[in-house]
Amino acid sequence: MPTIEISMKDLQMLIGKKISMKDLEKYLEYVKGEIENVEGDRVKIEIADTNRPDLWSTEGIAREIRTEVSSERGVPDYKIKKSGIKVIVDRNLKNIRPITVCAVVRNLNIDEETLMQMIQLQEKVCETFGRKRKEVALGIYDMHKIKSPITFKAFPPEEIKFVPLDFEKELDLRQILLQHPKGQEYGHLLEGMDKYPVFIDAGKNVLSLPPIINSNYTGKVTSETRDVFIECSGFDMKFQMPALDIMVAAMADRGGTIESVDVVFPDKTIVTPVMERGRIKVDLDYIKKRSGLDMKKEEIKNLLSRARFNANISGNNVDVEYPSYRQDIMHPSDVVEDIIIRYGYNNIKPAIPKIPTTGSQTETSVFSSVIRNLMIGTGAQEILSYYLTNKENLIERMNLEDMNVVEVENPVSDNWCIFRTWLIPSLIEFFSRNKKKEYPQRIFEVGEVVIPDSQRETMSSNPTRLAWGLAGKDAGFTQAKQNLDFLMDYLGIRYEIKEKDHPSFIPGRTGRVYVNGKGIAYIGEVHPQVLENWGIEVPVTCFEINLTDLFSVMKK
Amino acid sequence: MRLIESLHPLERKILPFLEEKMELKELAKKSGLKEVEAMRALQWMENKKMIKISSVSREIISLDSNGEEYLKSGLPEKRFLEALRGEISYKELKEKTGLDDNEMVKCIGILKGKYAISVVGDKIEPTSERGKLLERGFPEEAFLSKLPLDVSSVGGEEKTIVSNLMKRKKVIKRDVEKLKYWICTVEGKKLISEFRKVKGSKSMIERLTPGIIKDGSWKGKKFRRYDVQINVPKIFAGKKQPYVQFIENARRKLVEMGFREMEGPVIELEFFNFDALFQPQNHPARDWSASYKIKNNRYGRLPKEEVVKRVKGAHENGWKTGSSGWGYKWDEKTASQLVARAHDTAISPRYLSKNVEIPGKYFSLVRCFRPDVIDSNHGVEFNQLGGFVVGESLNFRHLLGLLKQFVFEMTGIEKVKFLPDYFPFTEPSVQISAKHPEIGWMELAGAGIFRPELSEPLGVKEPVIAWGFGIDRLAMMKLDIKDIRELFTRDLSYLRSSRGFF
């Protein structure tokens, strides 16, 4: 979720009205924004919509509020003049960064706040909408330091040298990737390429190395700058066009004049920014049906114009025109939401759907509940553990050699990197953390485990297990067997135990439990080596049952 | 007399010694009781105003776990210094002493302070002081061997040693030991002399035994009187884990509201976790940093059905939904990647695409996994409660109504407000906040109507209202827990003392 910082004064200037913090809070509903914190004039706002980059600046927010506080309505009108500037895109960028769209904005009055918003919007658009600059990299330059035509072309890294932004020394492209902080951060986007993309002007001045860094000479915008050149590069027009439109619209909202640039591709020339409005047809009935609101045509039209759409209604058909930067609009439901938002969520009377249904829990939930209640009856305390654990706890400390497990590729911590395949280690760990607490300690857990299983489409299965454990000076096999008996008697299940060694348990004091010939449980006294590994100084006895298997046996 | 009848056997045992001046330990020895028993008896006597207990504290320095180890196998810096002979690299030194990097650095610091080594660049060399120090022995070691000691008896140089050792991890510890003394009150002295007089009478029944009942020998005798107000030792019977109990209650609530429970795999196909939910394949939520990928078995198998083709169509061009779609080339391989279930909503498309009853109400309450940095707001894992309601004429007003009902059922709070929100899989989307009497406005749930690009390819024409609750936050509120990690507590005392809730 993008969080942006704005100045209240600046916002008021852009909407042309003084508003209170309470007003702002209300208006922010229209941009899915919430005030995160206020410090004097500075307001931090969290915008929930990750698919509306046009809202991630004061200008964008103001654009949506202006229809509430002035007579301004409908799709904003942006005029574009020709600049005569040309950008030539070289063929060799194919597979490197083949697409760019550009614009010029003149007559800007860049104060500190404007500059801050410009940079913030640029960053948010590139990071969040542009997938960390992969899809969108934006550069803004001082137009007066650039000579047309500008060339966008890939060069061998050693061939080009320039002073990157905020540096004093001239570096070649490879050095920039290694030495400049932005190079270190985004350099991986150019990994494996033998040539790097560069914007360079007619005077052989480098503008930038996208998507990494601008040059310190042309690519530094200050309060002295009046006219700017903007380029936006990537792989797909679907990303480039709206990104550029958002930037120029924001600047135009502050009084800048938009001018177009001729972008000459090997196969075609396009004039950008295009800022072509989108169109979508929406059924009047659909609006009413989806919203549940009985609105008159005029009301819908009015709500749409407040939401910065132009609408033409004839019969059941609503022709909706939307701003070019609204790339999020894919389906009529997107338009419906904007209508409801302007209607006001809290002005709607909630209705309870009358759907007669019978509720039920899954068989696993029901059966687990029965088992848990029973175990509590034996005097055991229920515990709850994480599914994630580590090899040391699950395998090594349990005296096991190895075990087939499902492992996470990108853990945040080595402590939580594999999924548990059995529950007893969680019980033993619990005992090890409560050595100073009064004994005897009886505990149990019911929960899922994750077992690798290539027969399944998800390559693993999740049987539910019960593990029970007793720690204390008198803990032994007998108590474990007594509790197992108690459980099985209650369920009316006959079982047999066969002696079977298991490295976690004392040989000769451990067994596998069979029901109808199927092994469903282990029972035994925990091996002193395991206890020593965990620093436990009293005997522990336990059992673990596969409840999923047990339940399927019972159903037969 | 009544008082003597009600004396507990423990009290009877200590009574003869109460007039002598002694400490608790001595009393225990003389009366043949355990220390705790003697203490208990003393307290009872004090409750009866027979004595007054006073305690004197003194501070004791004793060995901690590492200290015990050092005393056995030598201080790390001593082992370091012993091993430091001739040409030896840092690495060899580390191997030879078995110390870790942290300890090595500490040793270097200590030994530099003692002028026993000199460090030039990355070379460590012994100085002439080395031999002398080893011969003299480390004063710290001598000190450790003297423990435990009363703090007040430590003086001079030993004070510096103590403060240095305290800075090190678990070498020594300071504990306060409480000594118990008492004096008899006037009543107490009376009691003792009376007690001595009647001591011979054994006619009091202490325990009612089956033998006594059978032979009737209790008749005509007196029973020792109990102090019925007495504190008895606690028992720890079986109890549910509070958070599991909370989850169970929530589950029951949903069933009462007519919802049917769904379940799904812990390790899920990205197809169900993301693609079927219309989340584009380059969406940031699918990033390395936002969901757990699986090592070794990276890929699962997509369902063989039509549904995969339809979902692909929805992403690429909107399929038959009237949407433009995301407009990119959808990749089957990406969709077949496995991921630890990142949200409960992953389960919904499995049900929607198969045997869903319309109209119907469904929920799931399951464990979810995201690679968040763990802190008081982010646990290793979390639970989510969510689901959907599907029906012919459902609309946004129903969505709001349902949410309001949920909040009331789960929290009892009636004052709510709705805020527009964003989820990639719903349109319109909403968030509901409830006004808690103490905490104020709390964000509780998110919801929306599934996008047609999601529900229609799964074979559902009817509107589907989807909703999800941050169940962990509700649990924290209910259980009065400030740190989310405590939901999965491993503290037995906490569990044993946990309170019931309904």
Side-chain angles (χ1 to χ4, degrees):
Chain A
M1 248 185 244
T3 301
I4 62 162
E5 191 181 319
I6 68 158
S7 143
M8 192 66 174
K9 255 193 236 133
D10 187 45
L11 179 74
Q12 290 173 340
M13 192 270 289
L14 283 164
I15 63 174
K17 194 185 169 191
K18 218 175 151 57
I19 57 167
S20 69
M21 208 48 83
K22 223 175 154 56
D23 293 333
L24 177 64
E25 200 181 325
K26 190 184 85 195
Y27 291 137
L28 284 180
E29 285 183 22
Y30 301 128
V31 297
K32 301 188 180 178
E34 271 189 275
I35 296 175
E36 200 169 74
N37 107 26
V38 180
E39 251 172 66
D41 181 51
R42 314 298 304 176
V43 186
K44 274 201 179 133
I45 299 170
E46 197 176 62
I47 309 273
D49 203 328
T50 52
N51 204 19
R52 283 284 303 273
D54 58 297
L55 300 176
W56 304 341
S57 67
T58 320
E59 298 88 345
I61 292 172
R63 202 179 297 139
E64 301 294 323
I65 299 180
R66 272 202 299 279
T67 57
E68 305 295 320
V69 297
S70 72
S71 59
E72 199 177 311
R73 293 285 186 278
V75 180
D77 200 12
Y78 294 108
K79 302 262 182 289
I80 307 172
K81 285 198 228 163
K82 268 193 102 57
S83 72
I85 309 277
K86 201 182 269 183
V87 173
I88 299 157
V89 182
D90 198 280
R91 198 178 290 281
N92 79 352
L93 284 167
K94 196 185 171 207
N95 300 328
I96 294 179
R97 204 166 181 87
I99 305 277
T100 184
V101 292
C102 311
V104 170
V105 182
R106 294 195 193 270
N107 304 321
L108 285 167
N109 179 9
I110 301 181
D111 61 10
E112 215 170 280
E113 187 58 30
T114 307
L115 190 60
M116 193 240 145
Q117 288 302 323
M118 207 187 267
I119 294 168
Q120 177 172 275
L121 180 59
Q122 177 193 9
E123 275 175 7
K124 299 285 170 191
V125 167
C126 295
E127 279 301 300
T128 308
F129 177 66
R131 317 292 190 238
K132 301 202 167 89
R133 296 195 186 182
K134 182 176 183 293
E135 295 288 356
V136 178
L138 269 164
I140 306 173
Y141 312 85
D142 188 339
M143 189 62 232
H144 290 282
K145 294 181 178 167
I146 301 174
K147 278 198 199 80
S148 174
I150 298 155
T151 305
F152 185 30
K153 188 177 175 180
F155 291 92
E158 293 77 16
E159 211 168 276
I160 299 275
K161 279 189 173 181
F162 72 95
V163 181
L165 200 58
D166 299 328
F167 266 46
E168 285 166 3
K169 222 171 57 195
E170 199 171 67
L171 300 173
D172 73 24
L173 302 183
R174 201 181 298 283
Q175 288 168 328
I176 290 174
L177 289 204
L178 291 174
Q179 293 174 27
H180 199 280
K182 296 290 172 193
Q184 293 160 356
E185 194 177 346
Y186 298 102
H188 65 274
L189 293 171
L190 295 176
E191 214 170 74
M193 294 177 186
D194 55 355
K195 288 179 181 172
Y196 294 166
V198 169
F199 282 96
I200 188 162
D201 80 348
K204 294 287 169 233
N205 272 317
V206 172
L207 274 65
S208 66
L209 162 66
I212 314 294
I213 190 76
N214 286 0
S215 98
N216 200 45
Y217 171 62
T218 53
K220 195 167 193 166
V221 175
T222 66
S223 53
E224 310 292 308
T225 314
R226 293 268 292 155
D227 304 331
V228 296
F229 171 75
I230 309 169
E231 59 62 27
C232 177
S233 71
F235 301 86
D236 189 341
M237 284 292 181
K238 270 200 328 297
F239 280 96
Q240 310 317 313
M241 292 275 201
L244 183 68
D245 290 356
I246 286 162
M247 286 309 294
V248 299
M251 292 182 194
D253 284 355
R254 289 191 185 269
T257 329
I258 306 172
E259 292 186 358
S260 67
V261 171
D262 294 343
V263 185
V264 184
F265 289 97
D267 53 343
K268 63 176 179 213
T269 296
I270 59 170
V271 182
T272 63
V274 182
M275 299 194 97
E276 190 189 5
R277 295 173 179 185
R279 274 168 209 286
I280 188 166
K281 277 195 202 311
V282 186
D283 274 2
L284 208 52
D285 286 346
Y286 181 76
I287 297 174
K288 291 182 190 168
K289 226 184 134 192
R290 199 140 174 111
S291 65
L293 299 170
D294 188 23
M295 295 177 284
K296 302 259 179 325
K297 279 183 191 176
E298 270 318 297
E299 188 175 11
I300 290 175
K301 199 168 166 168
N302 181 35
L303 292 171
L304 280 167
S305 72
R306 276 168 58 199
R308 310 240 64 154
F309 294 103
N310 294 340
N312 215 328
I313 308 183
S314 60
N316 186 33
N317 192 31
V318 189
D319 267 315
V320 178
E321 197 177 49
Y322 58 87
S324 66
Y325 50 75
R326 286 296 303 270
Q327 46 74 45
D328 61 300
I329 293 180
M330 288 187 262
H331 185 276
S333 63
D334 294 302
V335 179
V336 175
E337 184 186 68
D338 282 2
I339 294 173
I340 310 176
I341 289 175
R342 293 288 165 166
Y343 187 98
Y345 280 14
N346 294 297
N347 297 328
I348 297 171
K349 198 164 171 261
I352 305 283
K354 301 240 173 338
I355 298 180
T357 50
T358 311
S360 61
Q361 297 191 28
T362 59
E363 285 181 338
T364 305
S365 292
V366 173
F367 191 53
S368 299
S369 254
V370 170
I371 300 292
R372 289 172 48 233
N373 285 330
L374 198 65
M375 295 323 288
I376 284 160
T378 69
Q381 168 68 49
E382 181 177 29
I383 67 162
L384 182 68
S385 315
Y386 292 117
Y387 287 13
L388 283 165
T389 178
N390 54 68
K391 283 196 170 158
E392 190 185 346
N393 287 359
L394 191 82
I395 302 170
E396 289 157 24
R397 285 180 158 184
M398 296 308 295
N399 235 1
L400 298 172
E401 288 284 304
D402 201 11
M403 214 177 199
N404 201 2
V405 296
V406 173
E407 191 169 352
V408 166
E409 178 144 20
N410 51 331
V412 278
S413 151
D414 289 343
N415 289 331
W416 318 104
C417 58
I418 60 172
F419 283 91
R420 65 185 184 190
T421 47
W422 60 320
L423 299 180
I424 285 177
S426 306
L427 261 50
I428 305 284
E429 183 180 4
F430 188 94
F431 286 135
S432 80
R433 285 169 180 266
N434 290 284
K435 287 183 284 193
K436 297 260 163 70
K437 313 289 161 62
E438 197 172 316
Y439 286 106
Q441 299 174 1
R442 284 165 207 278
I443 56 173
F444 79 96
E445 177 165 7
V446 172
E448 288 172 297
V449 295
V450 180
I451 309 285
D453 179 354
S454 57
Q455 298 301 309
R456 308 249 177 170
E457 55 173 34
T458 55
M459 309 303 278
S460 61
S461 62
N462 312 124
T464 297
R465 302 267 191 92
L466 156 70
W468 172 95
L470 167 66
K473 62 178 176 23
D474 301 319
F477 187 83
T478 306
Q479 287 100 322
K481 179 104 192 300
Q482 284 173 322
N483 280 273
L484 182 67
D485 275 348
F486 173 71
L487 174 78
M488 294 300 214
D489 287 349
Y490 180 83
L491 299 174
I493 289 180
R494 297 167 65 93
Y495 70 95
E496 59 173 329
I497 298 187
K498 289 184 190 156
E499 194 185 311
K500 183 161 189 206
D501 286 352
H502 183 296
S504 303
F505 302 98
I506 299 172
R509 298 187 186 184
T510 171
R512 186 115 171 92
V513 177
Y514 292 86
V515 173
N516 292 352
K518 193 175 171 67
I520 57 143
Y522 262 104
I523 180 168
E525 282 182 17
V526 175
H527 200 288
Q529 183 58 57
V530 173
L531 299 177
E532 190 183 293
N533 294 346
W534 284 96
I536 296 171
E537 287 160 358
V538 294
V540 173
T541 181
C542 54
F543 63 78
E544 176 161 342
I545 309 183
N546 186 328
L547 293 181
T548 305
D549 281 351
L550 186 66
F551 190 51
S552 65
V553 167
M554 283 175 66
K555 279 201 294 184
K556 272 180 200 159
Chain B
M1 201 53 200
R2 200 182 154 89
L3 189 59
I4 290 179
E5 280 174 25
S6 70
L7 286 179
H8 187 277
L10 293 180
E11 290 173 306
R12 287 162 180 265
K13 283 202 172 135
I14 63 164
L15 207 53
F17 309 101
L18 285 187
E19 274 177 317
E20 294 167 47
K21 183 169 162 56
M22 62 179 87
E23 206 270 323
L24 174 64
K25 285 195 189 70
E26 200 184 339
L27 175 68
K29 210 184 268 172
K30 287 202 164 152
S31 58
L33 297 176
K34 288 181 191 152
E35 228 171 281
V36 280
E37 290 172 328
M39 189 60 218
R40 221 155 56 202
L42 280 176
Q43 266 159 355
W44 295 334
M45 293 306 285
E46 188 179 38
N47 291 346
K48 293 175 184 141
K49 301 211 164 52
M50 298 298 119
I51 57 168
K52 269 183 89 168
I53 302 174
S54 58
S55 55
V56 178
S57 304
R58 58 173 194 168
E59 225 179 326
I60 301 285
I61 301 178
S62 60
L63 287 172
D64 206 339
S65 53
N66 285 341
E68 279 171 29
E69 181 60 34
Y70 294 167
L71 200 56
K72 258 189 268 169
S73 54
L75 286 166
E77 61 264 37
K78 183 175 155 194
R79 278 148 57 198
F80 183 105
L81 202 57
E82 281 169 349
L84 185 67
R85 227 175 298 151
E87 281 273 313
I88 184 161
S89 72
Y90 177 87
K91 210 177 135 213
E92 286 168 333
L93 201 54
K94 204 177 136 185
E95 264 165 31
K96 212 160 161 188
T97 54
L99 299 171
D100 65 26
D101 280 322
N102 200 3
E103 292 170 320
M104 290 287 284
V105 170
K106 286 226 176 92
C107 285
I108 292 172
I110 292 168
L111 292 171
K112 257 165 70 182
K114 291 183 184 290
Y115 307 108
I117 59 168
S118 69
V119 180
V120 185
D122 54 359
K123 262 177 107 177
I124 307 164
E125 280 172 358
T127 66
S128 58
E129 181 63 20
R130 174 186 176 274
K132 287 183 220 158
L133 183 56
L134 284 174
E135 201 174 319
R136 249 196 338 262
F138 284 73
E140 290 84 357
E141 211 161 88
F143 179 73
L144 288 182
S145 65
K146 283 201 272 179
L147 296 180
L149 280 177
D150 193 327
V151 170
S152 61
S153 72
V154 174
E157 257 171 50
E158 282 185 338
K159 274 193 172 156
T160 325
I161 293 176
V162 169
S163 84
N164 283 336
L165 288 176
M166 281 306 282
K167 282 181 208 145
R168 298 172 65 172
K169 209 171 147 195
K170 293 203 167 171
V171 180
I172 55 171
K173 57 186 174 189
R174 296 170 76 137
D175 293 309
V176 176
E177 190 184 62
K178 279 199 172 137
L179 300 177
K180 299 281 178 189
Y181 298 98
W182 61 90
I183 46 164
C184 283
T185 61
V186 179
E187 290 82 10
K189 286 180 179 151
K190 250 203 270 179
L191 178 71
I192 293 168
S193 72
E194 262 182 67
F195 180 75
R196 287 205 175 109
K197 276 185 229 157
V198 298
K199 211 186 166 196
S201 81
K202 298 257 179 197
S203 59
M204 202 98 71
I205 295 178
E206 179 56 35
R207 273 180 60 112
L208 183 60
T209 61
I212 296 174
I213 298 172
K214 239 189 260 172
D215 66 17
S217 62
W218 58 272
K219 288 175 188 167
K221 284 190 186 157
K222 281 186 172 163
F223 290 87
R224 179 178 71 83
R225 288 177 175 274
Y226 287 167
D227 173 4
V228 292
Q229 291 179 346
I230 200 166
N231 287 327
V232 296
K234 286 194 187 304
I235 56 160
F236 304 112
K239 265 199 287 188
K240 288 183 181 169
Q241 207 272 8
Y243 182 41
V244 181
Q245 167 87 72
F246 178 84
I247 286 172
E248 200 176 40
N249 289 1
R251 203 175 254 134
R252 199 175 58 222
K253 201 98 210 168
L254 265 298
V255 172
E256 284 168 3
M257 288 167 76
F259 281 80
R260 185 181 289 186
E261 191 182 11
M262 307 183 279
E263 59 194 343
V266 174
I267 308 298
E268 185 54 285
L269 291 161
E270 284 207 14
F271 180 76
F272 286 112
N273 199 81
F274 295 124
D275 296 281
L277 293 169
F278 199 53
Q279 244 162 307
Q281 296 188 324
N282 64 358
H283 193 278
R286 304 181 68 151
D287 249 19
W288 188 255
S289 59
S291 54
Y292 281 124
K293 313 291 179 203
I294 306 302
K295 214 170 171 172
N296 304 326
N297 276 326
R298 284 185 69 96
Y299 298 97
R301 289 185 293 274
L302 290 181
K304 278 202 185 65
E305 295 131 48
E306 225 3 55
V307 64
V308 175
K309 268 189 216 154
R310 297 198 296 247
V311 167
K312 173 185 163 81
H315 279 245
E316 292 186 344
N317 52 40
W319 190 58
K320 295 176 190 168
T321 63
S323 167
S324 62
W326 291 108
Y328 71 100
K329 180 111 188 60
W330 187 82
D331 176 36
E332 205 170 291
K333 192 87 181 158
T334 305
S336 65
Q337 280 191 95
L338 293 171
V339 45
R341 177 172 56 214
H343 54 175
D344 72 291
T345 319
I347 298 179
S348 295
R350 283 187 173 272
Y351 279 73
L352 282 170
S353 63
K354 245 185 218 167
N355 313 327
V356 69
E357 264 182 42
I358 302 173
K361 299 198 256 187
Y362 291 82
F363 83 99
S364 60
L365 207 175
V366 292
R367 200 74 68 87
C368 301
F369 308 84
R370 278 180 215 166
D372 290 321
V373 172
I374 298 153
D375 58 25
S376 61
N377 289 313
H378 301 86
V380 177
E381 297 160 17
F382 57 101
N383 282 290
Q384 271 191 337
L385 167 63
F388 60 84
V389 178
V390 56
E392 170 64 45
S393 54
L394 291 176
N395 59 46
F396 191 67
R397 285 183 59 205
H398 295 128
L399 167 64
L400 301 185
L402 260 174
L403 276 183
K404 210 177 156 186
Q405 191 187 10
F406 274 140
V407 167
F408 181 71
E409 292 292 334
M410 305 293 283
T411 65
I413 300 174
E414 271 186 276
K415 197 169 165 58
V416 297
K417 69 176 177 189
F418 301 105
L419 285 174
D421 206 340
Y422 175 78
F423 307 104
F425 35 86
T426 54
E427 192 83 18
S429 308
V430 58
Q431 173 210 111
I432 186 169
S433 294
K435 190 154 190 184
H436 186 274
E438 285 140 43
I439 304 167
W441 286 106
M442 293 181 53
E443 201 180 308
L444 285 184
I449 305 179
F450 270 147
R451 297 189 66 97
E453 296 99 319
L454 186 166
S455 48
E456 288 179 25
L458 298 176
V460 178
K461 277 264 170 228
E462 292 78 1
V464 183
I465 291 176
W467 52 274
F469 260 87
I471 185 102
D472 289 353
R473 281 183 68 184
L474 277 180
M476 286 167 76
M477 193 172 89
K478 188 91 182 174
L479 304 176
D480 197 19
I481 281 176
K482 302 281 173 283
D483 188 321
I484 200 161
R485 289 166 288 194
E486 282 176 33
L487 293 175
F488 292 82
T489 182
R490 285 182 286 202
D491 177 354
L492 184 59
S493 308
Y494 170 83
L495 290 174
R496 280 175 167 172
S497 63
S498 65
R499 300 255 302 268
F501 58 91
F502 312 96

